Amino acid sequence: MAGDAPHGTEFDDAVENGPAGTSAGGSAGAATGDSGLNSPATGTITAKSTSDDTTGDTPGGADGGTDDGTGLGSSDDTPGGAVSDTSRAAGPAEPAEGSGRQGRTAGLWVLVRRNPIFSVILVIAALLRAIAMIGYQPAMFFNDSFDYLHVAMKPYPHPLRPDGYSFLLLILKPLHSFALVTAVQHLMGLAMGVMIYALLRRRLRLPGWGAALAAAPVLLDAYQIQLEHLILSDTMFTFLVMSAITLLLWRDQPSWKISAAVGLIIGMSWLTRSVGLPVLVGVLVYLLIRRAGWRTLAVTLAACMLPVVAYMGWYKVDSDKFAITESNGIFLYARVYKFADCHKIDPPVQEMALCTEPQNRLPNSQDGIWNAASPLNRYAGKRFSPEANALGNDFAKRAILGQPDDYLRVVAHDFFKVFRWDRTVFPDKATYSQYEFGATSNPLPEWRMDADSTAAGEAAAYEGGRARTKIIEPFGGIIRGYQDHFFLRGTMLGLILLVGLAGLVPLWRRFGGIAFVPWTLATGLLLAPAATAEFDYRYVLPAVPLASLAAGMTFSPEARTRLAAMLRLRRRPSGAALLPDAPGGADATGGAGVPAQDGGTVEVGEGEAGVTGGAQEDKVPEIAAG
């Protein structure tokens, strides 16, 4: 119905201006491409199903070129050759009065006018990032920042972490500006919010305020803004994952070109953070569920492995081992460090040095890596050597298999720590303070990065001058005050995940529909650190955009209609049955066909749903989309 579609769309024009509720082209539903309106002659609804190659795969098979009110796509030609009322009335195209800069300004104003709530949120988010850039110049640093920087200064495959982020620093190195690096990262943060909004508006036809609400946690969270201002890989990793998921979900069935792009981006994310491997697995499982075909899966996998195999070849040349890092076993050892009991697992003699009695253990699991008193330092040689990695990996596997209950307990403890209301100082005050906009600036460390350079020296060389963070007031105070009050609490993230899970339930027969991939990846990104290393606040934020996207999908018309059908089924008297001759499969409770995301209509009856391309003679239930 007109009142239920997002305002400013051609769907509105067709309903309000077309004769007898049809579009100007005389073909019911031509303006939207999903279904026709009630015909005055027969009262039927005609479902239109088109191929994926010619549609944008919006709910009901809406044409991707149709103006949906967001300005993300427009076309004068509606599916089936029908022309919208507005384009027919306009007649021949007239030359635009404005050109160049004036034309672009007018186009931008149209976008703002059609998406007012999101535009306000986006402007606020941009201003907050500008304040952070002015208040903390040129950038902020974390302990890991200097490893990434060292690789950018003297490229080599790092044994601890892949070099994807260092490649970005290397590309920007000739410009000698950490401020430029943080500007790029802040733009990535804004782009992630735009991706969420665009997917929910165009693909699922959510109202503007609903899509804007889903994008708000990414755009307005103070800790997200601070993470973007750090010289760290997390923002780039999250941006790459969101880009891949946006491309994957933009159409119901991606073409081979899109599949190649998705695979290539996932490969780049894998080389940015090792947790990119589970992202690849999640995407491949989704494609299998959606029956995308073996060619699509093969192209995605091949494109992903292209940069990964090339990087592993480089690692082979440098370290004589075909690998990405030499740290997975060491991090896994840190996971079992706090509970491994050598009396139960009985390790071989060469691993006995990794054993520690409970009374002698250090406070945190990650102390098993970084603390000078770590058992790993009982071995001669480099800490991240192939030998140390192999010993740690073998010991950790023995502990997990020999003490599965203890392993599951520590994983669950760290996983649910994510959802606490209050942020606590963890793992120590010095580390935790690096996740906040501080009132004072610490000197850059003088660590030896190699025989010829220090951390502070390489930072100064990259910047071409002073690299230590300089705090400019009052801008620094403004963003500090904002961070004290405006951030996504762990409990809020838990509620977002629960909302997303609720959207999967009505579509359980299709494994939750397209929300399956963002929800499972968000949960997986939260679970992976708990299972392989230890909880850390910086590992939480990459899951937020995916979780917000999945939560927004819960309010798609199809998910809401199916949920309503399930609720009607629960309220139905036990003796009620389907009317055998009800047109279109309508049941005794008045179930009806509604547009489906995959084209055709969804038959709602007995709480089940299927897709049909035939005529539907019952009325379309009102679906509030605005």
Side-chain angles (χ1 to χ4, degrees):
M1 298 179 66
D4 299 324
H7 293 293
T9 66
E10 290 185 5
F11 186 75
D12 287 324
D13 295 333
V15 173
E16 295 175 3
N17 303 325
T22 63
S23 67
S27 146
T32 61
D34 54 357
S35 62
L37 301 177
N38 293 341
S39 168
T42 63
T44 63
I45 300 174
T46 303
K48 181 179 179 62
S49 178
T50 57
S51 67
D52 295 323
D53 293 333
T54 57
T55 68
D57 301 300
T58 52
D63 177 56
T66 303
D67 183 5
D68 60 1
T70 65
L72 299 171
S74 61
S75 174
D76 291 337
D77 297 327
T78 56
V83 181
S84 65
D85 290 340
T86 53
S87 61
R88 182 181 293 273
E94 297 290 342
E97 293 183 4
S99 62
R101 182 178 302 178
Q102 291 182 349
R104 290 191 295 270
T105 302
L108 179 61
W109 171 245
V110 170
L111 281 175
V112 172
R113 183 169 53 84
R114 290 177 173 177
N115 307 277
I117 299 177
F118 179 71
S119 298
V120 170
I121 292 177
L122 190 63
V123 169
I124 293 174
L127 287 175
L128 290 170
R129 285 160 172 81
I131 291 172
M133 291 190 65
I134 297 172
Y136 290 81
Q137 301 178 15
M140 298 178 69
F141 297 91
F142 191 79
N143 292 338
D144 297 348
S145 303
F146 305 101
D147 282 337
Y148 294 117
L149 181 59
H150 182 58
V151 174
M153 300 299 289
K154 301 176 181 180
Y156 74 103
H158 199 285
L160 175 58
R161 52 182 65 87
D163 290 348
Y165 181 66
S166 295
F167 294 154
L168 174 65
L169 297 179
L170 181 63
I171 292 171
L172 299 178
K173 177 183 172 183
L175 300 175
H176 294 290
S177 175
F178 282 118
L180 177 61
V181 176
T182 60
V184 170
Q185 293 178 174
H186 285 309
L187 288 175
M188 290 178 180
L190 294 173
M192 287 187 283
V194 172
M195 291 178 204
I196 294 172
Y197 183 82
L199 265 176
L200 294 178
R201 284 285 280 149
R202 181 190 187 281
R203 182 77 164 86
L204 296 171
R205 294 295 194 251
L206 258 67
W209 66 266
L213 183 63
V218 178
L219 294 173
L220 302 180
D221 178 34
Y223 284 95
Q224 171 67 35
I225 297 172
Q226 198 267 344
L227 187 65
E228 295 167 14
H229 207 61
L230 283 166
I231 304 300
L232 278 179
S233 63
D234 301 77
T235 299
M236 177 177 170
F237 169 78
T238 312
F239 172 76
L240 290 172
V241 173
M242 277 300 301
S243 298
I245 297 306
T246 300
L247 281 175
L248 180 67
L249 301 184
W250 198 254
R251 289 180 177 272
D252 185 65
Q253 293 290 346
S255 66
W256 71 267
K257 293 181 181 179
I258 295 297
S259 300
V262 169
L264 186 62
I265 294 172
I266 294 175
M268 294 166 60
S269 74
W270 188 354
L271 294 181
T272 303
R273 276 188 57 192
S274 298
V275 77
L277 173 58
V279 174
L280 172 64
V281 174
V283 168
L284 293 179
V285 170
Y286 171 77
L287 291 175
L288 281 172
I289 292 172
R290 300 290 287 184
R291 299 178 181 178
W294 69 267
R295 289 184 180 85
T296 299
L297 272 78
V299 168
T300 304
L301 181 60
C304 176
M305 295 308 299
L306 185 63
V308 173
V309 172
Y311 184 89
M312 295 173 75
W314 183 39
Y315 201 103
K316 170 71 174 177
V317 171
D318 182 83
S319 304
D320 198 30
K321 185 174 181 180
F322 199 66
I324 294 179
T325 65
E326 288 287 357
S327 61
N328 57 307
I330 293 174
F331 277 97
L332 197 58
Y333 169 74
R335 175 69 290 176
V336 306
Y337 168 73
K338 291 291 291 181
F339 70 82
D341 187 346
C342 289
H343 301 289
K344 296 180 180 180
I345 64 177
D346 192 23
V349 175
Q350 64 268 27
E351 296 176 14
M352 289 297 294
L354 296 177
C355 298
T356 306
E357 293 298 323
Q359 64 272 18
N360 298 326
R361 290 172 185 158
L362 299 167
N364 301 307
S365 291
Q366 57 188 265
D367 288 326
I369 303 177
W370 307 113
N371 197 295
S374 168
L376 287 171
N377 291 328
R378 296 171 184 171
Y379 294 92
K382 295 181 179 179
R383 182 179 302 182
F384 294 102
S385 66
E387 296 78 16
N389 190 60
L391 285 171
N393 189 60
D394 190 67
F395 183 89
K397 289 180 178 178
R398 292 178 187 275
I400 292 171
L401 295 175
Q403 300 174 253
D405 293 343
D406 293 327
Y407 173 70
L408 292 175
R409 176 177 52 80
V410 296
V411 170
H413 176 269
D414 277 15
F415 177 71
F416 286 106
K417 187 185 292 186
V418 172
F419 308 114
R420 293 179 178 176
W421 178 261
D422 293 318
R423 290 175 65 99
T424 57
V425 175
F426 182 86
D428 53 61
K429 186 175 181 180
T431 302
Y432 181 80
S433 65
Q434 296 178 80
Y435 293 132
E436 296 193 320
F437 291 106
T440 59
S441 171
N442 297 322
L444 298 181
E446 295 293 339
W447 305 327
R448 301 297 308 182
M449 304 306 296
D450 57 27
D452 304 321
S453 57
T454 65
E458 289 190 333
Y462 188 95
E463 178 68 15
R466 173 193 169 98
R468 177 179 174 176
T469 305
K470 183 179 181 180
I471 303 176
I472 307 297
E473 302 295 351
F475 300 98
I478 293 173
I479 199 66
R480 286 196 302 273
Y482 181 83
Q483 190 175 39
D484 289 340
H485 300 94
F486 296 94
F487 60 92
L488 186 70
R489 294 182 179 270
T491 309
M492 297 176 181
L493 177 57
L495 290 175
I496 291 174
L497 281 173
L498 288 177
V499 170
L501 180 61
L504 300 181
V505 173
L507 306 177
W508 66 272
R509 286 183 177 273
R510 292 195 289 121
F511 297 91
I514 65 173
F516 170 85
V517 65
W519 192 90
T520 53
L521 288 182
T523 306
L525 289 176
L526 294 175
L527 186 60
T532 59
E534 190 176 30
F535 166 83
D536 198 305
Y537 281 112
R538 64 181 276 204
Y539 298 149
V540 174
L541 292 175
V544 173
L546 294 165
S548 299
L549 179 61
M553 291 177 175
T554 298
F555 300 96
S556 67
E558 182 185 10
R560 289 159 49 201
T561 303
R562 290 178 185 241
L563 180 60
M566 293 172 63
L567 295 176
R568 286 200 302 271
L569 178 63
R570 291 177 62 89
R571 293 194 298 265
R572 178 184 296 152
S574 58
L578 285 174
L579 295 176
D581 297 325
D587 61 19
T589 62
V594 296
Q597 292 176 0
D598 298 319
T601 60
V602 175
E603 295 178 356
V604 179
E606 288 287 324
E608 305 293 344
V611 178
T612 177
Q616 183 77 14
E617 296 186 358
D618 202 357
K619 66 178 182 179
V620 177
E622 295 183 2
I623 302 174

